[in-house]
Amino acid sequence: MIVDDSAVVRQVVRQALSADPGIEVISAASDPLFALEHMKRQWPDVIVLDIEMPRMDGLTFLRKLMAEHPTPVVICSSLAASGSDAAMNALAAGAVSIITKPTSGLKQFLEDSSNDIVQAVKAAARANIRRLARPAAGTPAAAPRPRLSADAVIPATPAGGLGSGAGMVRTTERFVAIGTSTGGTQALEAVLTRLPAVAPPIVIVQHMPERFTAMFAERLNGLCAIEVREARHGDRITPGRALIAPGGKHMMVTRSGAQYTVEVVDGPLVNRHRPSVDVLFRSCAKFAGRNATGIIMTGMGDDGARGLREMHDTGATTYAEDESTCVVFGMPKEAIRLGGVDHVLPLDRIPEAIMQSVRG
């Protein structure tokens, strides 16, 4: 179902979705109240929802859905493009993903982005509804394009070769690397808010568009005992701090003496993502080895699975979130399949694993 007060948006989005044989648009409504009338007759599998609408705004409608009848929702809003925190509020309320639309050139934008909309709806349809009842969020899948591996940003090092973390001596400088995607914003909040101020250093890749990561980090910083912020090139990885890779940039860990810092760099999409979890995890394998702990959590696709295996092979302890708590079990499932996971844990046990990582 499409819910948007713009007739142009309803028309173009309906055309884009209806062109895919796997999607049926059952209705399009100009506001949530009209939508609720339609939904009494047939409940949709996914809702594409605007935020600014008459009679009832999209955020109010979203919260009502999550409280009464959890349903995957893709937000399609111009508020995200303007930098408003309304988009972050939508993710916090339970939206699965966000499509940002401009305030001008709307029809052309929607036509150009039709594949993004289709892929976002398909990703939302696979979301774990039980987990959405506890608000979850993520980002839309990218349009199909040539699929590149982490080699495009950071070259692999032969096992045991010069620069490989496999022979890295265990030091007191240890840190945790986390990768996540669809459902990750709420999963990260659940984990980071349970950590004490003395938690080990954490570096995070969460698949999010530009502008969102800074808002997301700022929101978490206000909720957590640790410092949480968007990473800047050259930032030191220190205890009590979590660095989140900026949207639209890759983040890598590097080592100078006994200290670890992050590099924030441009580069092509890796596994159709930028930032990519595989890029972060490979850098951890290359420069930290057993001094790092790798954690892969909820997310669609397989970004991070190969990188986690590389971390595992260089001596890092690795974890995957259990299917029972994932919104989408894609990334953890693939990491487990590749043999790169030492332990599988539900979400509520991951904070304990993070704290244990500096004691082992």
Side-chain angles (χ1 to χ4, degrees):
M1 172 174 282
I2 302 160
V3 187
D4 197 300
D5 63 333
S6 166
V8 172
V9 172
R10 295 197 302 273
Q11 177 188 10
V12 176
V13 173
R14 179 191 280 269
Q15 289 173 348
L17 295 177
S18 298
D20 190 288
I23 299 175
E24 176 190 0
V25 180
I26 61 171
S27 183
S30 59
D31 69 39
L33 297 184
F34 283 128
L36 286 170
E37 290 300 313
H38 288 289
M39 291 160 70
K40 289 177 182 177
R41 298 188 293 272
Q42 184 177 5
W43 202 273
D45 298 309
V46 178
I47 298 171
V48 178
L49 179 66
D50 190 18
I51 292 179
E52 293 183 296
M53 288 180 290
R55 298 207 296 171
M56 180 186 289
D57 66 273
L59 288 178
T60 300
F61 182 49
L62 176 61
R63 294 185 182 110
K64 178 179 175 67
L65 283 173
M66 291 302 111
E68 299 176 6
H69 195 309
T71 305
V73 172
V74 174
I75 294 292
C76 186
S77 173
S78 60
L79 288 182
S82 68
S84 167
D85 64 358
M88 283 307 305
N89 290 334
L91 291 174
V96 175
S97 58
I98 298 280
I99 296 287
T100 60
K101 62 185 183 185
T103 55
S104 60
L106 180 58
K107 184 175 181 180
Q108 186 62 48
F109 168 80
L110 290 171
E111 290 173 349
D112 293 343
S113 303
S114 61
N115 193 72
D116 288 346
I117 297 169
V118 168
Q119 295 305 316
V121 167
K122 286 185 172 181
R126 299 185 185 99
N128 184 331
I129 303 301
R130 290 179 293 108
R131 296 300 300 168
L132 286 171
R134 299 170 58 190
T139 56
R145 47 177 60 88
R147 184 183 173 96
L148 301 177
S149 72
D151 293 344
V153 177
I154 175 171
T157 303
L162 183 63
S164 168
M168 193 73 66
V169 175
R170 188 110 194 201
T171 72
T172 56
E173 292 283 329
R174 302 174 191 172
F175 64 90
V176 176
I178 299 176
T180 185
S181 185
T182 310
T185 55
Q186 290 306 109
L188 286 170
E189 180 178 329
V191 169
L192 298 185
T193 53
R194 291 183 58 189
L195 296 176
V198 293
I202 302 172
V203 287
I204 298 167
V205 164
Q206 160 70 46
H207 294 156
M208 296 185 92
E210 294 180 59
R211 299 181 301 273
F212 281 85
T213 43
M215 291 189 292
F216 178 52
E218 183 178 356
R219 179 175 180 276
L220 286 180
N221 191 56
L223 297 173
C224 298
I226 63 172
E227 177 192 8
V228 184
R229 63 177 174 83
E230 187 179 65
R232 297 187 291 263
H233 187 76
D235 274 344
R236 173 95 184 273
I237 298 173
T238 60
R241 172 188 289 176
L243 298 173
I244 299 177
K249 301 281 188 179
H250 290 299
M251 183 173 73
M252 299 184 291
V253 169
T254 190
R255 181 169 177 154
S256 176
Q259 296 182 354
Y260 291 103
T261 60
V262 296
E263 293 184 354
V264 176
V265 300
D266 290 316
L269 300 179
V270 171
N271 299 323
R272 304 193 180 110
H273 293 287
R274 186 177 54 235
S276 162
V277 183
D278 263 339
V279 169
L280 173 63
F281 283 177
R282 173 171 288 181
S283 72
C284 295
K286 191 169 185 175
F287 296 108
R290 68 189 65 190
N291 294 316
T293 296
I295 302 174
I296 194 164
M297 302 200 304
T298 177
M300 184 178 178
D302 62 1
D303 186 35
R306 284 170 289 279
L308 195 69
R309 174 61 192 262
E310 292 178 17
M311 290 185 68
H312 173 274
D313 290 348
T314 56
T317 302
T318 56
Y319 297 86
E321 183 182 352
D322 187 74
E323 183 176 10
S324 65
T325 60
C326 283
V327 171
V328 179
F329 190 49
M331 287 162 52
K333 181 180 180 180
E334 185 65 13
I336 294 167
R337 187 187 71 80
L338 291 179
V341 176
D342 294 315
H343 309 283
V344 179
L345 298 176
L347 189 65
D348 60 1
R349 291 186 56 195
I350 290 178
E352 176 187 353
I354 290 174
M355 296 306 299
Q356 182 63 37
S357 70
V358 294
R359 305 186 194 114

